[in-house]
Short mmCIF file of all heavy atoms in Angstrom, two decimals:
data_model
loop_
_atom_site.label_atom_id
_atom_site.label_comp_id
_atom_site.label_asym_id
_atom_site.label_seq_id
_atom_site.Cartn_x
_atom_site.Cartn_y
_atom_site.Cartn_z
N ASP M 1 0.87 -1.17 0.00
CA ASP M 1 0.00 0.00 0.00
C ASP M 1 0.91 1.22 0.00
O ASP M 1 1.96 1.21 0.63
CB ASP M 1 -0.90 0.01 1.24
CG ASP M 1 -1.84 -1.18 1.26
OD1 ASP M 1 -2.65 -1.31 0.33
OD2 ASP M 1 -1.76 -1.98 2.21
N LEU M 2 0.48 2.24 -0.68
CA LEU M 2 1.28 3.45 -0.80
C LEU M 2 0.40 4.65 -0.43
O LEU M 2 -0.71 4.78 -0.92
CB LEU M 2 1.78 3.59 -2.23
CG LEU M 2 2.57 4.81 -2.61
CD1 LEU M 2 3.84 4.91 -1.79
CD2 LEU M 2 2.90 4.77 -4.10
N ILE M 3 0.92 5.46 0.47
CA ILE M 3 0.27 6.73 0.81
C ILE M 3 1.22 7.84 0.39
O ILE M 3 2.39 7.85 0.79
CB ILE M 3 -0.04 6.83 2.31
CG1 ILE M 3 -1.03 5.74 2.74
CG2 ILE M 3 -0.61 8.22 2.64
CD1 ILE M 3 -1.29 5.67 4.25
N ILE M 4 0.71 8.75 -0.43
CA ILE M 4 1.50 9.90 -0.89
C ILE M 4 0.91 11.14 -0.25
O ILE M 4 -0.28 11.41 -0.38
CB ILE M 4 1.47 10.02 -2.42
CG1 ILE M 4 2.06 8.77 -3.07
CG2 ILE M 4 2.23 11.28 -2.87
CD1 ILE M 4 1.92 8.74 -4.58
N VAL M 5 1.76 11.89 0.45
CA VAL M 5 1.32 13.10 1.15
C VAL M 5 1.98 14.31 0.50
O VAL M 5 3.21 14.40 0.47
CB VAL M 5 1.68 13.05 2.65
CG1 VAL M 5 1.21 14.31 3.36
CG2 VAL M 5 1.09 11.81 3.30
N ILE M 6 1.15 15.21 0.01
CA ILE M 6 1.65 16.45 -0.59
C ILE M 6 1.00 17.63 0.13
O ILE M 6 -0.23 17.76 0.14
CB ILE M 6 1.34 16.54 -2.10
CG1 ILE M 6 1.99 15.40 -2.86
CG2 ILE M 6 1.76 17.89 -2.67
CD1 ILE M 6 3.50 15.48 -2.93
N ASN M 7 1.82 18.45 0.74
CA ASN M 7 1.38 19.70 1.36
C ASN M 7 2.03 20.86 0.61
O ASN M 7 3.02 20.67 -0.10
CB ASN M 7 1.78 19.75 2.83
CG ASN M 7 1.01 18.75 3.66
OD1 ASN M 7 -0.14 18.45 3.41
ND2 ASN M 7 1.67 18.21 4.68
N ASP M 8 1.48 22.04 0.81
CA ASP M 8 2.08 23.23 0.21
C ASP M 8 2.22 24.34 1.23
O ASP M 8 2.00 25.50 0.94
CB ASP M 8 1.31 23.69 -1.02
CG ASP M 8 -0.10 24.18 -0.71
OD1 ASP M 8 -0.57 24.01 0.44
OD2 ASP M 8 -0.75 24.73 -1.61
N ASN M 9 2.61 23.96 2.44
CA ASN M 9 2.91 24.96 3.46
C ASN M 9 4.17 25.71 3.05
O ASN M 9 4.90 25.27 2.17
CB ASN M 9 3.12 24.28 4.82
CG ASN M 9 1.85 23.61 5.31
OD1 ASN M 9 0.79 24.22 5.35
ND2 ASN M 9 1.95 22.34 5.67
N SER M 10 4.44 26.82 3.70
CA SER M 10 5.59 27.63 3.30
C SER M 10 6.89 26.83 3.37
O SER M 10 7.78 27.02 2.53
CB SER M 10 5.68 28.90 4.15
OG SER M 10 5.82 28.58 5.51
N GLN M 11 7.02 25.92 4.32
CA GLN M 11 8.24 25.12 4.44
C GLN M 11 8.41 24.14 3.27
O GLN M 11 9.51 23.71 2.96
CB GLN M 11 8.26 24.31 5.74
CG GLN M 11 8.14 25.14 6.99
CD GLN M 11 6.69 25.22 7.46
OE1 GLN M 11 5.76 25.37 6.67
NE2 GLN M 11 6.49 25.17 8.76
N ASP M 12 7.27 23.76 2.66
CA ASP M 12 7.31 22.83 1.53
C ASP M 12 7.59 23.54 0.22
O ASP M 12 8.05 22.93 -0.74
CB ASP M 12 5.96 22.12 1.37
CG ASP M 12 5.55 21.35 2.60
OD1 ASP M 12 6.34 20.51 3.05
OD2 ASP M 12 4.44 21.59 3.11
N GLY M 13 7.25 24.81 0.17
CA GLY M 13 7.21 25.54 -1.10
C GLY M 13 5.77 25.48 -1.59
O GLY M 13 5.16 24.42 -1.62
N THR M 14 5.23 26.60 -1.93
CA THR M 14 3.81 26.66 -2.28
C THR M 14 3.52 26.26 -3.72
O THR M 14 2.37 26.06 -4.09
CB THR M 14 3.23 28.06 -2.01
OG1 THR M 14 4.01 29.01 -2.75
CG2 THR M 14 3.28 28.40 -0.52
N ASP M 15 4.55 26.11 -4.53
CA ASP M 15 4.37 25.68 -5.91
C ASP M 15 4.62 24.18 -6.00
O ASP M 15 5.74 23.71 -5.83
CB ASP M 15 5.35 26.44 -6.81
CG ASP M 15 5.26 26.01 -8.27
OD1 ASP M 15 4.37 25.22 -8.63
OD2 ASP M 15 6.11 26.48 -9.06
N VAL M 16 3.57 23.42 -6.24
CA VAL M 16 3.72 21.96 -6.34
C VAL M 16 3.66 21.48 -7.79
O VAL M 16 3.44 20.30 -8.04
CB VAL M 16 2.67 21.22 -5.47
CG1 VAL M 16 2.87 21.52 -4.00
CG2 VAL M 16 1.26 21.52 -5.92
N SER M 17 3.88 22.39 -8.72
CA SER M 17 3.83 22.00 -10.13
C SER M 17 4.88 20.95 -10.49
O SER M 17 4.73 20.24 -11.48
CB SER M 17 3.98 23.23 -11.04
OG SER M 17 5.24 23.84 -10.85
N TRP M 18 5.90 20.80 -9.66
CA TRP M 18 6.94 19.81 -9.90
C TRP M 18 6.40 18.38 -9.91
O TRP M 18 7.05 17.48 -10.45
CB TRP M 18 8.07 19.94 -8.87
CG TRP M 18 7.62 19.85 -7.45
CD1 TRP M 18 7.30 20.88 -6.63
CD2 TRP M 18 7.41 18.66 -6.69
NE1 TRP M 18 6.91 20.40 -5.40
CE2 TRP M 18 6.96 19.04 -5.41
CE3 TRP M 18 7.55 17.30 -6.96
CZ2 TRP M 18 6.65 18.12 -4.42
CZ3 TRP M 18 7.24 16.37 -5.97
CH2 TRP M 18 6.80 16.80 -4.71
N ILE M 19 5.22 18.16 -9.33
CA ILE M 19 4.67 16.79 -9.33
C ILE M 19 4.44 16.29 -10.76
O ILE M 19 4.41 15.09 -11.00
CB ILE M 19 3.39 16.64 -8.48
CG1 ILE M 19 2.23 17.45 -9.03
CG2 ILE M 19 3.67 16.97 -7.02
CD1 ILE M 19 0.90 17.24 -8.32
N TRP M 20 4.31 17.22 -11.72
CA TRP M 20 4.12 16.83 -13.11
C TRP M 20 5.42 16.37 -13.75
O TRP M 20 5.41 15.76 -14.84
CB TRP M 20 3.47 17.98 -13.89
CG TRP M 20 2.07 18.19 -13.41
CD1 TRP M 20 1.67 19.05 -12.43
CD2 TRP M 20 0.93 17.47 -13.81
NE1 TRP M 20 0.32 18.91 -12.21
CE2 TRP M 20 -0.17 17.95 -13.06
CE3 TRP M 20 0.69 16.46 -14.75
CZ2 TRP M 20 -1.46 17.46 -13.20
CZ3 TRP M 20 -0.60 15.98 -14.90
CH2 TRP M 20 -1.66 16.47 -14.13
N ASP M 21 6.54 16.59 -13.10
CA ASP M 21 7.83 16.14 -13.61
C ASP M 21 8.24 14.77 -13.05
O ASP M 21 9.21 14.18 -13.52
CB ASP M 21 8.93 17.15 -13.26
CG ASP M 21 8.67 18.50 -13.90
OD1 ASP M 21 8.14 18.54 -15.03
OD2 ASP M 21 8.98 19.53 -13.26
N VAL M 22 7.51 14.27 -12.07
CA VAL M 22 7.81 12.97 -11.47
C VAL M 22 7.28 11.86 -12.38
O VAL M 22 6.18 11.96 -12.91
CB VAL M 22 7.17 12.85 -10.06
CG1 VAL M 22 7.42 11.47 -9.46
CG2 VAL M 22 7.70 13.94 -9.14
N ASP M 23 8.04 10.81 -12.53
CA ASP M 23 7.64 9.68 -13.38
C ASP M 23 6.76 8.71 -12.58
O ASP M 23 7.17 7.59 -12.26
CB ASP M 23 8.88 8.98 -13.93
CG ASP M 23 8.53 7.94 -14.99
OD1 ASP M 23 7.34 7.81 -15.34
OD2 ASP M 23 9.46 7.26 -15.46
N PHE M 24 5.55 9.15 -12.26
CA PHE M 24 4.62 8.31 -11.50
C PHE M 24 4.13 7.11 -12.31
O PHE M 24 3.60 6.16 -11.74
CB PHE M 24 3.43 9.13 -11.00
CG PHE M 24 3.77 10.04 -9.86
CD1 PHE M 24 3.79 11.42 -10.04
CD2 PHE M 24 4.07 9.54 -8.61
CE1 PHE M 24 4.09 12.27 -8.98
CE2 PHE M 24 4.38 10.37 -7.55
CZ PHE M 24 4.40 11.74 -7.74
N GLY M 25 4.32 7.12 -13.60
CA GLY M 25 3.93 5.98 -14.42
C GLY M 25 4.65 4.70 -14.03
O GLY M 25 4.13 3.60 -14.25
#
């Protein structure tokens, strides 16, 4: 089982557009 947690708090960086560059395929 896989749980993926994505937050965009200031410590994370508020731009999460990088998820489109990950090879989730």
Side-chain angles (χ1 to χ4, degrees):
D1 296 300
L2 177 61
I3 298 174
I4 299 173
V5 180
I6 299 291
N7 291 326
D8 65 351
N9 295 309
S10 60
Q11 302 95 319
D12 301 305
T14 56
D15 178 6
V16 296
S17 63
W18 56 266
I19 64 174
W20 293 92
D21 298 325
V22 177
D23 189 3
F24 286 110

